[in-house]
Amino acid sequence: MPATSPLRSKRLAVPLLLACALCAVPARAIVQHELTVDLEPDRNRLSVRDRVQLPEGFTRADGRVDFLLNSAFEPALGDATARLERLAPSTQRPLHRYRAHLARDARTLTIIYAGALAQAEGHYASGHVGPEGVFLTETSAWYPIFEGAPIVFSMQVRAPEGWHAISQGRGDPLPPVAGRAAQLWTETRPQTEIVLLAGQFVDYMRRAAGLDASVHLRRPDAGLAADYLDATARYLDLYEALLGPYPYEKFALVENFWETGYGLPSLAVLGPRVIRFPFILHSSFPHEILHNWWGNGVYLDPGSGNWSEGLTAYLADHLVQEQRGRGARHRRNALQKYASYVDAADDFPLSAFRGKHGEVSQAVGYSKALMFFHMLRQHLGDADFLAGLRLFASRHRFQAASYDDLRRAFESASGLSLGAEFAQWIERTGAPSLLLKDVRVERTGGGYRLRGTIEQQQPGPPYRLRVPVAVQLGADRPAVREAISLDSTRAQFELALPSRPTALHVDPEFDLFRRLAPGEAPASLGDLLGAKAARFVLPAREPARRRETYTALVRSWDGGATIDDAAPLPDDESVWLLGWDNAHLPALAAAAAREGLTLTHEGATLGADRFRRATDCVVFAARAAADTERRVGFIGCDGERAIDGLARKLPHYGRYGFLAFRGDEPRNVRKQEWPVRDSPLAIVFDPKAAHFPPPLPPRRPLAASP
């Protein structure tokens, strides 16, 4: 997601209160809600009457049953024979726990409550009712939550004239009630939450892929709606062919009143600027559609870790790039993100991932998990990989599922035992680190023999790996793919070749989850943003207000210490130079020149593009020297408002080595990844004939582009 959105496109995190809501629950043990909801956005108020039908045996023997509700409400029971007791506040604020005392064997209770639910700007995800719109999910506990069972519901919603309410399930219009718009939403599939969105939408509808597709915008835009409806049909067709039937009877895209990227059951909720970025149609949007299979179709068993985000990232974000011929680059970026942000002190196993809470958790829960599913696909082959996914989806539709359930589905589809494979990637921290050594070429009677050794250097026991290698045999010939088994600390290999090799590359398409070797990935902003001890150098000659803005940028990144440019540059840690007038700027000239960048106090030149200090902001990262992994970075920007914007945006551009921005927003006008020029996992025998990356025959994507 671009920097204008504070949220990575994702499913809302599953709160702890639902940790076992669907764990081993019999199919009949479902809580049924029959809600009547009155919305008064001008008063930030909603009123709810909820008739709850509890499953048999759900209450205690004496008729007691507990539920949670947002503390903004003071509930009452609609049955005079029942009694309500308020217990101590929940540790999960702002919730309160209540206990209803029902007649013995009673299974129905009516809960009535009303109140204001409004959040400060930027905190709407906690639940908001206001003139801007309504956003209510399980996270806000706006309805009574009975722990321990899934839910189904019917919900009659009344709102001001001209307002439209949206939820999961089937929506039907109702006659107006006292001049107020009314709708009925019904969901009969077991759910983990009840979603209620509302606003003054312009609605666009179409029958697509055998179901009702809709787009709900905050202002008329028939062209934008048509683009999303077309994309909805294409991606639903794609994922149904890959994974089996779509779990719901409708899909709706809703424009939110603040910048978001949420995937909710049968819904995608995108912010007003995000929804209009043209690339979102083929990046975040298919990601949210796919969440209706993973996360909102098969639910998470949080006891085993969140498998949904990594699987969705692989089958959406990675698949789109793979279809464009950029799969290897996408995987390299995932490995680079892990290398930039995760060290031994921060690392944790995939089984402990619950949701994104910063760059470290994203690098593990998304990037490592994406690579795990890619390796599993390589191991099983496309046919068995997809058969396992379809089996997993059908077995666990609207049920909680774990990594163990995934393993069993893949084992059933492939006939292989995958316990060791899952254990080393799901339960273990860290990553393999590879070293190539003792490589030599020998002439034989019928051709050539390539020998060498591959070692694992990471601490702890070795991983069981199939290491891909590519051998170039000439300047005008495709490289040859091979694989080397590496089940111990080191393995010697020997390859028979028909002609003299020009280069050997280890894992050139980044098919293994591993620690990148030094020099394998270009210097990037992510290296500096993830550094634990980066030093920020402030420009003494720039105006005080600009220095204060740079200092605020450092604080917003939880950055390291700041020093003035009168002090010498440290030579044992990564540094950021801030400001065009920084006294140390000439010291970066050599680092910049190695990447083809000319940098002066007045601007920068990269290729044919010139960026002037008067109009542009420039950011770059590079190695401090050719023979070191220490990084240096630079931010030059004369506009205080633009510096504020860079503080928000730059963490979203971590894979780039050079960026240029223009205007107060600021708007990105150039982004550049530096090329990789050398790698310790590549041995060149003939520099004139070697290529980086090696010219390999193209591989078919998992599915053709829709």
Side-chain angles (χ1 to χ4, degrees):
M1 180 75 60
T4 46
S5 172
L7 296 172
R8 178 72 171 90
S9 179
K10 65 181 183 67
R11 174 68 172 87
L12 283 172
V14 178
L16 293 177
L17 60 90
L18 282 184
C20 284
L22 298 175
C23 300
V25 176
R28 66 180 183 280
I30 295 175
V31 173
Q32 302 178 45
H33 293 262
E34 185 180 334
L35 300 111
T36 301
V37 182
D38 275 286
L39 298 174
E40 299 177 76
D42 289 342
R43 300 174 59 196
N44 304 113
R45 182 179 173 86
L46 74 160
S47 305
V48 180
R49 181 183 184 90
D50 185 8
R51 184 177 183 273
V52 181
Q53 181 75 29
L54 300 171
E56 184 177 355
F58 196 75
T59 59
R60 296 179 177 89
D62 60 359
R64 290 180 298 154
V65 64
D66 293 355
F67 64 88
L68 294 162
L69 189 64
N70 194 298
S71 58
F73 309 121
E74 192 65 42
L77 297 184
D79 185 349
T81 65
R83 179 171 61 87
L84 187 64
E85 176 186 3
R86 178 170 172 169
L87 304 178
S90 169
T91 56
Q92 296 161 318
R93 298 178 184 274
L95 309 182
H96 270 112
R97 184 176 294 276
Y98 296 89
R99 176 166 294 164
H101 298 263
L102 309 178
R104 189 179 298 274
D105 298 327
R107 293 169 49 200
T108 302
L109 71 158
T110 300
I111 304 170
I112 303 166
Y113 55 95
L117 193 59
Q119 310 295 335
E121 185 174 353
H123 299 277
Y124 297 132
S126 298
H128 184 78
V129 178
E132 311 85 356
V134 173
F135 184 90
L136 299 170
T137 67
E138 191 273 341
T139 304
S140 54
W142 69 275
Y143 59 89
I145 295 171
F146 295 84
E147 300 170 279
I151 56 182
V152 296
F153 67 90
S154 67
M155 177 170 58
Q156 185 179 146
V157 185
R158 301 165 185 167
E161 186 178 357
W163 279 62
H164 180 190
I166 302 168
S167 183
Q168 68 256 58
R170 174 188 174 91
D172 295 294
L174 295 174
V177 178
R180 292 168 58 78
Q183 290 169 275
L184 176 66
W185 287 93
T186 307
E187 181 54 85
T188 59
R189 303 163 182 82
Q191 301 286 293
T192 62
E193 66 177 327
I194 304 174
V195 174
L196 177 55
L197 312 173
Q200 294 174 289
F201 297 118
V202 181
D203 303 323
Y204 299 88
M205 311 287 183
R206 185 188 297 176
R207 192 75 178 166
L211 54 88
D212 293 325
S214 61
V215 175
H216 308 273
L217 302 177
R218 294 168 61 81
R219 64 176 186 266
D221 193 333
L224 181 68
D227 288 343
Y228 275 102
L229 289 169
D230 289 343
T232 297
R234 290 197 300 270
Y235 283 108
L236 287 174
D237 283 342
L238 169 68
Y239 289 124
E240 283 201 324
L242 283 178
L243 305 171
Y246 177 71
Y248 292 94
E249 60 191 322
K250 71 105 168 39
F251 179 81
L253 170 65
V254 183
E255 181 181 354
N256 210 354
F257 53 93
W258 89 102
E259 298 304 336
T260 54
Y262 288 150
L264 300 167
S266 73
L267 304 165
V269 188
L270 300 180
R273 297 180 65 189
V274 171
I275 201 172
R276 288 172 173 82
F277 288 132
F279 58 85
I280 292 295
L281 275 166
H282 306 291
S283 57
S284 299
F285 189 54
H287 186 108
E288 306 307 354
I289 289 176
L290 183 56
H291 263 310
N292 287 287
W293 277 266
W294 314 132
N296 297 323
V298 178
Y299 302 129
L300 295 173
D301 176 354
S304 82
N306 181 340
W307 48 266
S308 169
E309 291 299 351
L311 184 55
T312 302
Y314 185 63
L315 295 176
D317 309 56
H318 177 272
L319 178 55
V320 168
Q321 295 304 316
E322 189 181 30
Q323 290 165 340
R324 297 173 179 175
R326 303 173 188 167
R329 186 172 75 173
H330 190 80
R331 295 189 294 275
R332 188 202 69 188
N333 291 338
L335 295 177
Q336 192 170 2
K337 190 174 187 69
Y338 180 84
S340 295
Y341 289 102
V342 183
D343 60 21
D346 296 326
D347 207 354
F348 59 91
L350 279 174
S351 59
F353 174 64
R354 299 295 181 266
K356 180 187 173 184
H357 302 290
E359 299 294 347
V360 172
S361 60
Q362 184 178 22
V364 175
Y366 288 70
S367 298
K368 180 177 182 177
L370 177 154
M371 290 300 301
F372 165 68
F373 287 111
H374 180 71
M375 291 186 294
L376 188 63
R377 172 189 166 193
Q378 303 304 304
H379 182 54
L380 300 181
D382 287 4
D384 285 348
F385 180 71
L386 289 174
L389 289 175
R390 286 191 287 268
L391 184 60
F392 178 65
S394 63
R395 278 181 178 176
H396 302 286
R397 180 67 48 85
F398 300 118
Q399 299 176 18
S402 66
Y403 270 115
D404 280 341
D405 294 315
L406 263 170
R407 175 182 54 77
R408 284 187 282 267
F410 285 120
E411 288 177 336
S412 295
S414 67
L416 299 176
S417 176
L418 299 172
E421 190 79 8
F422 270 68
Q424 72 175 355
W425 301 118
I426 306 303
E427 302 297 339
R428 183 174 172 180
T429 60
S433 180
L434 301 182
L435 176 67
L436 179 63
K437 59 190 297 187
D438 301 330
V439 178
R440 59 197 182 278
V441 177
E442 301 171 356
R443 183 75 182 260
T444 65
Y448 290 82
R449 197 171 304 280
L450 178 61
R451 290 190 171 99
T453 301
I454 296 180
E455 293 184 353
Q456 299 189 49
Q457 292 191 302
Q458 74 282 348
Y463 289 82
R464 297 173 57 186
L465 304 174
R466 289 277 291 169
V467 181
V469 298
V471 183
Q472 288 181 246
L473 297 175
D476 302 321
R477 297 171 60 182
V480 177
R481 291 187 178 95
E482 299 283 355
I484 298 168
S485 294
L486 182 58
D487 296 339
S488 58
T489 302
R490 66 181 56 83
Q492 294 181 335
F493 62 89
E494 182 177 300
L495 302 174
L497 304 172
S499 60
R500 184 175 180 84
T502 58
L504 170 68
H505 303 260
V506 173
D507 193 24
E509 296 172 287
F510 305 97
D511 290 313
L512 289 179
F513 175 70
R514 56 187 176 84
R515 284 277 178 190
L516 292 174
E520 236 191 320
S524 68
L525 268 66
D527 298 336
L528 285 155
L529 293 168
K532 299 298 187 288
R535 188 69 59 97
F536 292 81
V537 184
L538 293 168
R541 290 183 293 172
E542 298 212 16
R545 182 168 178 176
R546 193 174 302 150
R547 284 171 52 88
E548 291 170 1
T549 309
Y550 277 128
T551 303
L553 176 148
V554 175
R555 286 197 301 267
S556 72
W557 288 352
D558 296 325
T562 58
I563 60 173
D564 281 337
D565 56 358
L569 286 178
D571 58 6
D572 59 348
E573 59 187 354
S574 296
V575 297
W576 281 102
L577 298 192
L578 306 178
W580 288 109
D581 289 328
N582 199 294
H584 291 296
L585 187 59
L588 267 61
R594 282 194 299 274
E595 306 296 353
L597 173 67
T598 302
L599 190 68
T600 72
H601 291 294
E602 299 305 319
T605 302
L606 183 63
D609 293 334
R610 184 175 180 187
F611 305 97
R612 296 175 174 82
R613 172 178 181 170
T615 56
D616 301 318
C617 299
V618 164
V619 183
F620 92 96
R623 291 189 192 182
D627 59 350
T628 181
E629 287 302 302
R630 190 168 60 87
R631 303 301 200 238
V632 292
F634 170 73
I635 301 175
C637 192
D638 280 355
E640 284 81 18
R641 289 179 60 187
I643 294 171
D644 285 339
L646 290 178
R648 298 189 306 273
K649 291 190 173 190
L650 290 182
H652 298 270
Y653 289 84
R655 73 172 181 264
Y656 297 103
F658 176 85
L659 297 162
F661 295 85
R662 191 165 293 156
D664 286 340
E665 182 183 346
R667 174 175 56 90
N668 179 249
V669 294
R670 175 76 187 268
K671 52 182 180 282
Q672 176 76 45
E673 294 181 52
W674 301 132
V676 176
R677 295 185 176 87
D678 61 319
S679 166
L681 293 183
I683 303 296
V684 175
F685 306 110
D686 182 354
K688 294 181 180 179
H691 296 277
F692 291 88
L696 286 160
R699 296 193 297 201
R700 293 179 60 183
L702 190 61
S705 179

